[in-house]
Amino acid sequence: MRKVRIGLTGLTFDAAHYTPSGGKCEDLHGHTFTVDVEIEGIPGEDGMVMDFRDLKEKVKSVLSSWDHALVVPEQDVAKLKLEGPFGLKLKVIKGPAATTECMAIQLADELRDALGLPVKVRVWEGPGKYAEATSA
């Protein structure tokens, strides 16, 4: 049987980050990130690569660790000093910065591990701006 790709579009999470861009994005700021996920596999005896319901549940489970978090590269964790009358949920990622590119790479790896299949992820930082990563 041939490999088939299936996907989900329009899943979201809200998160804050900062980037070393030399501009206003160095300031802590947030986005509602939109995520599109595509997986590839050979359909089973039931004719499906994966039931869309199961795919959506697993993707949402992974995204829950990103939702309402401050995304920080692991090299910056020891430098953080935040205080105030608020909670703080950190999402520590690999890579040199909390860019959308580094976030897409990490998210693709996390989804591949959760799904057990090759994954392509597109992370939208806003309208017209995205980073795409694959993890085999």
Side-chain angles (χ1 to χ4, degrees):
M1 191 163 246
R2 296 168 63 182
K3 285 188 177 180
V4 176
R5 279 181 249 151
I6 65 169
L8 299 172
T9 61
L11 300 167
T12 63
F13 68 92
D14 295 300
H17 73 147
Y18 54 92
T19 59
S21 64
K24 65 182 181 177
C25 290
E26 284 187 350
D27 292 339
L28 189 61
H29 64 282
H31 301 279
T32 297
F33 292 92
T34 301
V35 178
D36 301 333
V37 177
E38 186 177 278
I39 62 171
E40 182 177 59
I42 297 172
E45 290 183 14
D46 60 1
M48 293 186 280
V49 173
M50 180 179 285
D51 186 292
F52 282 113
R53 180 181 55 238
D54 295 337
L55 177 60
K56 188 172 185 178
E57 285 176 12
K58 288 180 180 186
V59 172
K60 282 186 165 191
S61 178
V62 170
L63 291 180
S64 69
S65 70
W66 294 77
D67 192 40
H68 285 82
L70 170 57
V71 181
V72 180
E74 58 190 355
Q75 67 192 28
D76 287 356
V77 172
K79 301 173 192 173
L80 290 178
K81 295 178 182 168
L82 294 172
E83 295 180 13
F86 50 81
L88 179 60
K89 177 180 174 183
L90 290 181
K91 177 63 179 180
V92 180
I93 64 168
K94 297 174 185 165
T99 61
T100 304
E101 294 87 340
C102 291
M103 293 168 67
I105 291 167
Q106 174 122 359
L107 191 51
D109 289 346
E110 289 180 11
L111 287 168
R112 178 209 52 224
D113 293 347
L115 299 168
L117 291 166
V119 175
K120 180 169 83 173
V121 173
R122 185 175 281 185
V123 179
W124 296 83
E125 186 176 290
K129 301 178 288 186
Y130 70 87
E132 188 174 273
T134 58
S135 195

